[in-house]
Amino acid sequence: MSSRDWEKELAAIDRQIASVPDVPVDESVPQHVPSAAARADLVTGMPSVRPASPGRRWMLYVRLLVALALAVGIVFWPYGTRCGLELGTYLAGVGLIAATGVWSAVWSWRHRAPRSHIVSLLIVLWALGLASWQTLPRVGLAIPTMERPAIWSCN
């Protein structure tokens, strides 16, 4: 058994509680009662985010439109993608599409816009598909073709 005397321990705690002065509550000052959202924030530890106001919702669509325009525009890429600098700039463009898709997805997630979020994630998936289309033959995970040889540089 333990050698602690619990009666003494509890008596010391009672004395310490009794020594704390009572603070009178001023009834004229209304006590703050947190809202349901604030209570949920305390429970989850994360701030709640409200849907975007109509005045700020247009920024959500601007971000989505930029990402969508880049995703469609890459289809009309005017340069080659066989090797070298042209391949590097193409992959940089695809990376930019993925970044804007993530940017739009984060914004739409924060502002509770599910359709915009799905479109943003599809843009990211499109960018990952385009990147894998070019890189998988070069790393040996797909069959190389004349358009996508197993080389990175044109030397």
Side-chain angles (χ1 to χ4, degrees):
M1 296 289 295
S2 75
S3 61
R4 296 179 88 169
D5 187 5
W6 288 106
E7 292 299 324
K8 288 182 181 177
E9 298 267 342
L10 292 173
I13 292 172
D14 287 339
R15 281 192 304 273
Q16 189 172 6
I17 290 173
S19 68
V20 175
D22 289 333
V23 178
V25 176
D26 188 4
E27 297 296 330
S28 64
V29 177
Q31 298 298 317
H32 174 70
V33 177
S35 65
R39 286 191 303 268
D41 295 349
L42 292 173
V43 170
T44 61
M46 297 178 60
S48 61
V49 178
R50 294 174 195 85
S53 65
R56 291 191 42 111
R57 187 169 284 276
W58 67 274
M59 281 303 293
L60 173 72
Y61 294 122
V62 167
R63 284 175 168 82
L64 184 63
L65 189 62
V66 167
L68 194 58
L70 289 173
V72 170
I74 197 78
V75 175
F76 304 106
W77 184 257
Y79 308 108
T81 57
R82 190 166 194 279
C83 58
L85 185 61
E86 292 176 339
L87 175 64
T89 54
Y90 178 79
L91 289 176
V94 170
L96 181 66
I97 293 169
T100 57
V102 169
W103 177 51
S104 177
V106 167
W107 188 266
S108 61
W109 178 265
R110 286 183 181 166
H111 294 285
R112 306 294 193 258
R115 284 184 227 116
S116 299
H117 189 68
I118 290 170
V119 172
S120 299
L121 292 179
L122 288 174
I123 290 170
V124 173
L125 187 64
W126 171 250
L128 291 175
L130 290 174
S132 64
W133 182 255
Q134 293 296 327
T135 57
L136 289 180
R138 289 169 172 83
V139 295
L141 295 175
I143 298 171
T145 63
M146 287 299 286
E147 294 175 358
R148 288 174 301 285
I151 58 171
W152 289 99
S153 65
C154 297
N155 298 349

PDB file of all heavy atoms in Angstrom, residues 12-35:
ATOM      1  N   ALA A  12      -5.177  19.403   3.550  1.00  0.00           N
ATOM      2  CA  ALA A  12      -4.339  20.495   3.041  1.00  0.00           C
ATOM      3  C   ALA A  12      -4.982  21.144   1.825  1.00  0.00           C
ATOM      4  O   ALA A  12      -4.961  22.375   1.669  1.00  0.00           O
ATOM      5  CB  ALA A  12      -2.952  19.970   2.689  1.00  0.00           C
ATOM      6  N   ILE A  13      -5.578  20.351   0.979  1.00  0.00           N
ATOM      7  CA  ILE A  13      -6.268  20.897  -0.193  1.00  0.00           C
ATOM      8  C   ILE A  13      -7.464  21.732   0.247  1.00  0.00           C
ATOM      9  O   ILE A  13      -7.704  22.823  -0.279  1.00  0.00           O
ATOM     10  CB  ILE A  13      -6.691  19.758  -1.148  1.00  0.00           C
ATOM     11  CG1 ILE A  13      -5.451  19.120  -1.776  1.00  0.00           C
ATOM     12  CG2 ILE A  13      -7.631  20.273  -2.231  1.00  0.00           C
ATOM     13  CD1 ILE A  13      -5.724  17.865  -2.581  1.00  0.00           C
ATOM     14  N   ASP A  14      -8.216  21.243   1.221  1.00  0.00           N
ATOM     15  CA  ASP A  14      -9.366  22.001   1.731  1.00  0.00           C
ATOM     16  C   ASP A  14      -8.924  23.336   2.317  1.00  0.00           C
ATOM     17  O   ASP A  14      -9.585  24.360   2.111  1.00  0.00           O
ATOM     18  CB  ASP A  14     -10.122  21.185   2.778  1.00  0.00           C
ATOM     19  CG  ASP A  14     -10.911  20.039   2.144  1.00  0.00           C
ATOM     20  OD1 ASP A  14     -11.201  20.123   0.926  1.00  0.00           O
ATOM     21  OD2 ASP A  14     -11.236  19.078   2.859  1.00  0.00           O
ATOM     22  N   ARG A  15      -7.821  23.348   3.063  1.00  0.00           N
ATOM     23  CA  ARG A  15      -7.318  24.602   3.633  1.00  0.00           C
ATOM     24  C   ARG A  15      -6.902  25.577   2.542  1.00  0.00           C
ATOM     25  O   ARG A  15      -7.152  26.782   2.630  1.00  0.00           O
ATOM     26  CB  ARG A  15      -6.127  24.320   4.557  1.00  0.00           C
ATOM     27  CG  ARG A  15      -6.514  23.814   5.937  1.00  0.00           C
ATOM     28  CD  ARG A  15      -5.330  23.842   6.890  1.00  0.00           C
ATOM     29  NE  ARG A  15      -4.174  23.089   6.389  1.00  0.00           N
ATOM     30  CZ  ARG A  15      -3.979  21.785   6.566  1.00  0.00           C
ATOM     31  NH1 ARG A  15      -4.857  21.078   7.256  1.00  0.00           N
ATOM     32  NH2 ARG A  15      -2.916  21.183   6.085  1.00  0.00           N
ATOM     33  N   GLN A  16      -6.272  25.065   1.492  1.00  0.00           N
ATOM     34  CA  GLN A  16      -5.835  25.926   0.406  1.00  0.00           C
ATOM     35  C   GLN A  16      -7.044  26.517  -0.328  1.00  0.00           C
ATOM     36  O   GLN A  16      -7.045  27.690  -0.669  1.00  0.00           O
ATOM     37  CB  GLN A  16      -4.963  25.139  -0.566  1.00  0.00           C
ATOM     38  CG  GLN A  16      -4.288  26.011  -1.593  1.00  0.00           C
ATOM     39  CD  GLN A  16      -3.286  25.223  -2.426  1.00  0.00           C
ATOM     40  OE1 GLN A  16      -3.185  24.017  -2.316  1.00  0.00           O
ATOM     41  NE2 GLN A  16      -2.561  25.938  -3.257  1.00  0.00           N
ATOM     42  N   ILE A  17      -8.053  25.737  -0.526  1.00  0.00           N
ATOM     43  CA  ILE A  17      -9.269  26.247  -1.176  1.00  0.00           C
ATOM     44  C   ILE A  17      -9.938  27.283  -0.294  1.00  0.00           C
ATOM     45  O   ILE A  17     -10.423  28.315  -0.773  1.00  0.00           O
ATOM     46  CB  ILE A  17     -10.232  25.083  -1.506  1.00  0.00           C
ATOM     47  CG1 ILE A  17      -9.653  24.225  -2.639  1.00  0.00           C
ATOM     48  CG2 ILE A  17     -11.607  25.608  -1.898  1.00  0.00           C
ATOM     49  CD1 ILE A  17     -10.441  22.964  -2.928  1.00  0.00           C
ATOM     50  N   ALA A  18      -9.959  27.039   1.010  1.00  0.00           N
ATOM     51  CA  ALA A  18     -10.603  27.985   1.930  1.00  0.00           C
ATOM     52  C   ALA A  18      -9.832  29.297   2.007  1.00  0.00           C
ATOM     53  O   ALA A  18     -10.410  30.342   2.295  1.00  0.00           O
ATOM     54  CB  ALA A  18     -10.707  27.364   3.317  1.00  0.00           C
ATOM     55  N   SER A  19      -8.520  29.283   1.733  1.00  0.00           N
ATOM     56  CA  SER A  19      -7.733  30.510   1.836  1.00  0.00           C
ATOM     57  C   SER A  19      -7.907  31.424   0.620  1.00  0.00           C
ATOM     58  O   SER A  19      -7.536  32.586   0.658  1.00  0.00           O
ATOM     59  CB  SER A  19      -6.250  30.178   2.002  1.00  0.00           C
ATOM     60  OG  SER A  19      -5.747  29.607   0.806  1.00  0.00           O
ATOM     61  N   VAL A  20      -8.480  30.919  -0.455  1.00  0.00           N
ATOM     62  CA  VAL A  20      -8.712  31.742  -1.641  1.00  0.00           C
ATOM     63  C   VAL A  20      -9.899  32.646  -1.371  1.00  0.00           C
ATOM     64  O   VAL A  20     -10.972  32.179  -0.986  1.00  0.00           O
ATOM     65  CB  VAL A  20      -8.979  30.852  -2.877  1.00  0.00           C
ATOM     66  CG1 VAL A  20      -9.344  31.697  -4.079  1.00  0.00           C
ATOM     67  CG2 VAL A  20      -7.781  29.977  -3.161  1.00  0.00           C
ATOM     68  N   PRO A  21      -9.716  33.972  -1.543  1.00  0.00           N
ATOM     69  CA  PRO A  21     -10.828  34.875  -1.253  1.00  0.00           C
ATOM     70  C   PRO A  21     -11.925  34.731  -2.297  1.00  0.00           C
ATOM     71  O   PRO A  21     -11.676  34.469  -3.469  1.00  0.00           O
ATOM     72  CB  PRO A  21     -10.196  36.254  -1.322  1.00  0.00           C
ATOM     73  CG  PRO A  21      -9.006  36.087  -2.206  1.00  0.00           C
ATOM     74  CD  PRO A  21      -8.540  34.685  -1.985  1.00  0.00           C
ATOM     75  N   ASP A  22     -13.149  34.910  -1.831  1.00  0.00           N
ATOM     76  CA  ASP A  22     -14.288  34.881  -2.739  1.00  0.00           C
ATOM     77  C   ASP A  22     -14.328  36.198  -3.499  1.00  0.00           C
ATOM     78  O   ASP A  22     -14.245  37.270  -2.915  1.00  0.00           O
ATOM     79  CB  ASP A  22     -15.600  34.697  -1.966  1.00  0.00           C
ATOM     80  CG  ASP A  22     -15.708  33.292  -1.392  1.00  0.00           C
ATOM     81  OD1 ASP A  22     -15.094  32.381  -1.982  1.00  0.00           O
ATOM     82  OD2 ASP A  22     -16.406  33.117  -0.381  1.00  0.00           O
ATOM     83  N   VAL A  23     -14.433  36.123  -4.811  1.00  0.00           N
ATOM     84  CA  VAL A  23     -14.512  37.322  -5.636  1.00  0.00           C
ATOM     85  C   VAL A  23     -15.988  37.573  -5.920  1.00  0.00           C
ATOM     86  O   VAL A  23     -16.665  36.723  -6.504  1.00  0.00           O
ATOM     87  CB  VAL A  23     -13.733  37.125  -6.959  1.00  0.00           C
ATOM     88  CG1 VAL A  23     -13.843  38.350  -7.836  1.00  0.00           C
ATOM     89  CG2 VAL A  23     -12.297  36.787  -6.674  1.00  0.00           C
ATOM     90  N   PRO A  24     -16.469  38.726  -5.489  1.00  0.00           N
ATOM     91  CA  PRO A  24     -17.881  38.997  -5.751  1.00  0.00           C
ATOM     92  C   PRO A  24     -18.109  39.232  -7.240  1.00  0.00           C
ATOM     93  O   PRO A  24     -17.293  39.833  -7.930  1.00  0.00           O
ATOM     94  CB  PRO A  24     -18.166  40.260  -4.942  1.00  0.00           C
ATOM     95  CG  PRO A  24     -16.846  40.912  -4.775  1.00  0.00           C
ATOM     96  CD  PRO A  24     -15.830  39.805  -4.767  1.00  0.00           C
ATOM     97  N   VAL A  25     -19.219  38.744  -7.738  1.00  0.00           N
ATOM     98  CA  VAL A  25     -19.576  38.906  -9.138  1.00  0.00           C
ATOM     99  C   VAL A  25     -20.429  40.156  -9.257  1.00  0.00           C
ATOM    100  O   VAL A  25     -21.424  40.309  -8.548  1.00  0.00           O
ATOM    101  CB  VAL A  25     -20.352  37.667  -9.646  1.00  0.00           C
ATOM    102  CG1 VAL A  25     -20.806  37.875 -11.066  1.00  0.00           C
ATOM    103  CG2 VAL A  25     -19.477  36.436  -9.521  1.00  0.00           C
ATOM    104  N   ASP A  26     -20.014  41.047 -10.136  1.00  0.00           N
ATOM    105  CA  ASP A  26     -20.769  42.273 -10.359  1.00  0.00           C
ATOM    106  C   ASP A  26     -21.952  41.932 -11.257  1.00  0.00           C
ATOM    107  O   ASP A  26     -21.792  41.596 -12.425  1.00  0.00           O
ATOM    108  CB  ASP A  26     -19.867  43.314 -11.021  1.00  0.00           C
ATOM    109  CG  ASP A  26     -20.536  44.670 -11.105  1.00  0.00           C
ATOM    110  OD1 ASP A  26     -21.653  44.820 -10.584  1.00  0.00           O
ATOM    111  OD2 ASP A  26     -19.923  45.585 -11.697  1.00  0.00           O
ATOM    112  N   GLU A  27     -23.145  42.023 -10.709  1.00  0.00           N
ATOM    113  CA  GLU A  27     -24.348  41.657 -11.444  1.00  0.00           C
ATOM    114  C   GLU A  27     -24.684  42.674 -12.535  1.00  0.00           C
ATOM    115  O   GLU A  27     -25.440  42.371 -13.441  1.00  0.00           O
ATOM    116  CB  GLU A  27     -25.529  41.512 -10.482  1.00  0.00           C
ATOM    117  CG  GLU A  27     -25.348  40.413  -9.454  1.00  0.00           C
ATOM    118  CD  GLU A  27     -25.274  39.033 -10.096  1.00  0.00           C
ATOM    119  OE1 GLU A  27     -25.878  38.812 -11.152  1.00  0.00           O
ATOM    120  OE2 GLU A  27     -24.599  38.157  -9.527  1.00  0.00           O
ATOM    121  N   SER A  28     -24.156  43.904 -12.431  1.00  0.00           N
ATOM    122  CA  SER A  28     -24.485  44.908 -13.436  1.00  0.00           C
ATOM    123  C   SER A  28     -23.738  44.672 -14.744  1.00  0.00           C
ATOM    124  O   SER A  28     -24.148  45.136 -15.792  1.00  0.00           O
ATOM    125  CB  SER A  28     -24.150  46.309 -12.914  1.00  0.00           C
ATOM    126  OG  SER A  28     -22.754  46.422 -12.713  1.00  0.00           O
ATOM    127  N   VAL A  29     -22.630  43.933 -14.687  1.00  0.00           N
ATOM    128  CA  VAL A  29     -21.871  43.625 -15.890  1.00  0.00           C
ATOM    129  C   VAL A  29     -22.354  42.277 -16.424  1.00  0.00           C
ATOM    130  O   VAL A  29     -22.306  41.280 -15.720  1.00  0.00           O
ATOM    131  CB  VAL A  29     -20.355  43.563 -15.578  1.00  0.00           C
ATOM    132  CG1 VAL A  29     -19.570  43.174 -16.818  1.00  0.00           C
ATOM    133  CG2 VAL A  29     -19.872  44.868 -14.999  1.00  0.00           C
ATOM    134  N   PRO A  30     -22.851  42.257 -17.656  1.00  0.00           N
ATOM    135  CA  PRO A  30     -23.316  40.974 -18.188  1.00  0.00           C
ATOM    136  C   PRO A  30     -22.142  40.024 -18.398  1.00  0.00           C
ATOM    137  O   PRO A  30     -21.084  40.430 -18.873  1.00  0.00           O
ATOM    138  CB  PRO A  30     -23.975  41.350 -19.518  1.00  0.00           C
ATOM    139  CG  PRO A  30     -23.410  42.674 -19.885  1.00  0.00           C
ATOM    140  CD  PRO A  30     -23.022  43.350 -18.595  1.00  0.00           C
ATOM    141  N   GLN A  31     -22.346  38.810 -17.990  1.00  0.00           N
ATOM    142  CA  GLN A  31     -21.318  37.787 -18.163  1.00  0.00           C
ATOM    143  C   GLN A  31     -21.334  37.304 -19.611  1.00  0.00           C
ATOM    144  O   GLN A  31     -22.387  37.123 -20.206  1.00  0.00           O
ATOM    145  CB  GLN A  31     -21.558  36.610 -17.212  1.00  0.00           C
ATOM    146  CG  GLN A  31     -21.502  36.998 -15.765  1.00  0.00           C
ATOM    147  CD  GLN A  31     -20.140  37.524 -15.365  1.00  0.00           C
ATOM    148  OE1 GLN A  31     -19.139  36.964 -15.753  1.00  0.00           O
ATOM    149  NE2 GLN A  31     -20.118  38.608 -14.606  1.00  0.00           N
ATOM    150  N   HIS A  32     -20.151  37.097 -20.156  1.00  0.00           N
ATOM    151  CA  HIS A  32     -20.034  36.650 -21.547  1.00  0.00           C
ATOM    152  C   HIS A  32     -20.382  35.167 -21.633  1.00  0.00           C
ATOM    153  O   HIS A  32     -19.787  34.336 -20.960  1.00  0.00           O
ATOM    154  CB  HIS A  32     -18.620  36.884 -22.067  1.00  0.00           C
ATOM    155  CG  HIS A  32     -18.393  36.310 -23.434  1.00  0.00           C
ATOM    156  ND1 HIS A  32     -18.986  36.840 -24.552  1.00  0.00           N
ATOM    157  CD2 HIS A  32     -17.668  35.254 -23.853  1.00  0.00           C
ATOM    158  CE1 HIS A  32     -18.619  36.134 -25.606  1.00  0.00           C
ATOM    159  NE2 HIS A  32     -17.819  35.170 -25.196  1.00  0.00           N
ATOM    160  N   VAL A  33     -21.347  34.867 -22.475  1.00  0.00           N
ATOM    161  CA  VAL A  33     -21.708  33.480 -22.742  1.00  0.00           C
ATOM    162  C   VAL A  33     -21.280  33.191 -24.175  1.00  0.00           C
ATOM    163  O   VAL A  33     -21.768  33.831 -25.105  1.00  0.00           O
ATOM    164  CB  VAL A  33     -23.233  33.256 -22.584  1.00  0.00           C
ATOM    165  CG1 VAL A  33     -23.595  31.831 -22.931  1.00  0.00           C
ATOM    166  CG2 VAL A  33     -23.663  33.621 -21.186  1.00  0.00           C
ATOM    167  N   PRO A  34     -20.345  32.266 -24.362  1.00  0.00           N
ATOM    168  CA  PRO A  34     -19.877  32.013 -25.719  1.00  0.00           C
ATOM    169  C   PRO A  34     -20.973  31.447 -26.610  1.00  0.00           C
ATOM    170  O   PRO A  34     -21.858  30.720 -26.143  1.00  0.00           O
ATOM    171  CB  PRO A  34     -18.738  31.012 -25.538  1.00  0.00           C
ATOM    172  CG  PRO A  34     -18.889  30.452 -24.186  1.00  0.00           C
ATOM    173  CD  PRO A  34     -19.684  31.447 -23.384  1.00  0.00           C
ATOM    174  N   SER A  35     -20.904  31.793 -27.883  1.00  0.00           N
ATOM    175  CA  SER A  35     -21.882  31.290 -28.836  1.00  0.00           C
ATOM    176  C   SER A  35     -21.640  29.807 -29.086  1.00  0.00           C
ATOM    177  O   SER A  35     -20.640  29.235 -28.663  1.00  0.00           O
ATOM    178  CB  SER A  35     -21.769  32.059 -30.151  1.00  0.00           C
ATOM    179  OG  SER A  35     -20.509  31.797 -30.735  1.00  0.00           O
TER     180      SER A  35
END
